[in-house]
Amino acid sequence: MNQLEQLKQYTTVVADTGDFQSIKAYAPQDATTNPSLILKAVQKPEYRPLLEKAVADANGASVDAIVDSLLIAFGVEILKYVPGRVSTEIDAALSFDTEATVAKGRELIALYEKAGVSRERVLIKIASTWEGIRAAEILEKEGIHCNLTLLFSLCQAVACAEAGVKLISPFVGRIYDWYKKSTGTDYTGADDPGVQSVKRIYQYYRKFGYQTEVMGASFRNTSQILELAGCDLLTISPDLLQKLADTEAPVERKLVADANADIQKIAIDEKTFRFMLNEDAMGTEKLAEGIRAFVADSIKLKKMIEELLK
């Protein structure tokens, strides 16, 4: 049995891609997308028709509305290949606007429902800012489930759990990148700071009985993935899914809830959240950088649409 098949015994495997062919090949339970992945996909000739159709059907709609149609088109196609859920991301430019994020979340779900997809099969992806978490809290109460992304710090995870968020995506690889750059150490195995971050969040949630699902994300190598075997879900890029499928070595469960874990409960409010995030240089930098990168890719996607509209 290859490592991918073994991993699926302990963890729900999710494909981190907008590429349907990859999703078909690895039979994941769910799939996640983001602006960067959609931008990458529409530059491939086989996905160009989805972009062209969204533009052709525009009927004078705004560029933002065309982007929404495109996201839904990808989501609907992806759901033909996964039995579970697709995550669709809200424009990161709204990361500090609770009301606009709530409105956009409702819009996207309405578009999915119009396309015949029930809201149970969709996770609305929102950046884990204080404003984003508040928006998710409102959406969750309306039965619109959310995936809180760009998550680097325990304070973000605690705030998400307290808000009743369905799922969080702690970013393993980007945490590793930051520490590798700042210390010059190439971390491996259990010493990897990204791996340690997810383990800490997982144990915190289990100790205090939170229902929020933990989905490790943004991996740089298969070692990081295998160290988190047993996590609720792991979202993995096609190249790393392939490496796991090509390897026969044994996989053991690494994440097990520890009732005796020495973890103190954190009372989180806005002031505590902002202070704790500010104290975490890595979390602060990576959150800001991630939002900037997603906004930049959204702008590129909008420019592609504007060119087609001409």
Side-chain angles (χ1 to χ4, degrees):
M1 200 189 286
N2 66 41
Q3 287 191 322
L4 181 57
E5 288 165 344
Q6 292 177 71
L7 182 63
K8 285 179 179 179
Q9 296 177 328
Y10 306 118
T11 289
T12 298
V13 171
V14 179
D16 196 20
T17 180
D19 184 333
F20 319 141
Q21 299 314 316
S22 296
I23 292 168
K24 212 160 140 185
Y26 303 109
Q29 174 68 22
D30 295 353
T32 52
T33 63
N34 63 43
S36 306
L37 293 174
I38 298 292
L39 178 67
K40 203 165 141 188
V42 295
Q43 288 170 339
K44 294 181 177 178
E46 60 266 40
Y47 299 117
R48 186 79 180 180
L50 278 178
L51 176 63
E52 288 168 351
K53 186 178 184 326
V55 171
D57 294 347
N59 288 330
S62 69
V63 170
D64 284 346
I66 296 170
V67 169
D68 290 348
S69 299
L70 182 66
L71 295 179
I72 304 306
F74 265 91
V76 169
E77 281 299 317
I78 286 167
L79 286 171
K80 291 175 185 173
Y81 302 106
V82 297
R85 307 167 294 191
V86 68
S87 288
T88 296
E89 191 140 348
I90 284 180
D91 190 339
L94 304 179
S95 294
F96 302 101
D97 188 333
T98 299
E99 286 171 12
T101 298
V102 169
K104 183 58 74 180
R106 288 173 182 152
E107 274 173 41
L108 291 173
I109 285 294
L111 287 168
Y112 268 115
E113 290 181 335
K114 194 177 164 192
V117 174
S118 80
R119 60 182 59 192
E120 291 305 315
R121 298 199 68 198
V122 180
L123 290 171
I124 298 296
K125 248 176 125 178
I126 301 169
S128 304
T129 56
W130 180 257
E131 294 79 5
I133 296 166
R134 298 282 64 80
E137 184 173 35
I138 294 164
L139 292 169
E140 288 285 355
K141 285 175 182 161
E142 297 174 10
I144 298 171
H145 295 311
C146 300
N147 168 357
L148 273 280
T149 187
L150 293 174
L151 194 144
F152 305 98
S153 287
L154 183 61
C155 63
Q156 291 173 290
V158 173
C160 287
E162 293 281 346
V165 165
K166 183 72 173 172
L167 179 147
I168 60 164
S169 296
F171 274 30
V172 178
R174 296 195 197 189
I175 294 175
Y176 160 83
D177 294 344
W178 191 91
Y179 281 101
K180 184 181 176 184
K181 188 179 170 186
S182 65
T183 66
T185 305
D186 190 2
Y187 299 91
T188 55
D191 295 330
D192 188 310
V195 167
Q196 290 174 352
S197 175
V198 176
K199 285 184 174 173
R200 194 160 54 245
I201 291 165
Y202 179 86
Q203 294 298 356
Y204 187 97
Y205 279 14
R206 290 299 173 273
K207 177 150 186 178
F208 299 112
Y210 291 111
Q211 297 302 305
T212 300
E213 298 166 29
V214 180
M215 179 170 73
S218 138
F219 294 104
R220 298 291 176 258
N221 52 59
T222 56
S223 160
Q224 292 172 335
I225 295 165
L226 298 174
E227 283 296 330
L228 293 174
C231 194
D232 300 330
L233 309 95
L234 297 172
T235 184
I236 307 168
S237 63
D239 58 324
L240 292 176
L241 287 170
Q242 187 60 51
K243 281 182 181 167
L244 292 167
D246 289 342
T247 310
E248 296 287 335
V251 174
E252 57 179 289
R253 186 181 182 125
K254 293 290 182 83
L255 241 59
V256 184
D258 177 7
N260 301 313
D262 182 21
I263 304 171
Q264 301 305 310
K265 192 145 198 233
I266 298 166
I268 206 97
D269 57 12
E270 184 175 356
K271 291 189 282 287
T272 309
F273 175 91
R274 294 197 188 281
F275 184 76
M276 284 181 73
L277 189 58
N278 189 69
E279 287 291 283
D280 180 354
M282 177 277 299
T284 298
E285 285 176 33
K286 282 291 168 189
L287 175 60
E289 178 188 278
I291 290 170
R292 284 196 300 271
F294 282 160
V295 168
D297 282 341
S298 288
I299 289 167
K300 284 180 195 162
L301 187 57
K302 287 174 188 174
K303 282 189 174 148
M304 282 176 76
I305 289 166
E306 282 164 3
E307 288 301 312
L308 284 173
L309 284 170
K310 286 175 189 171

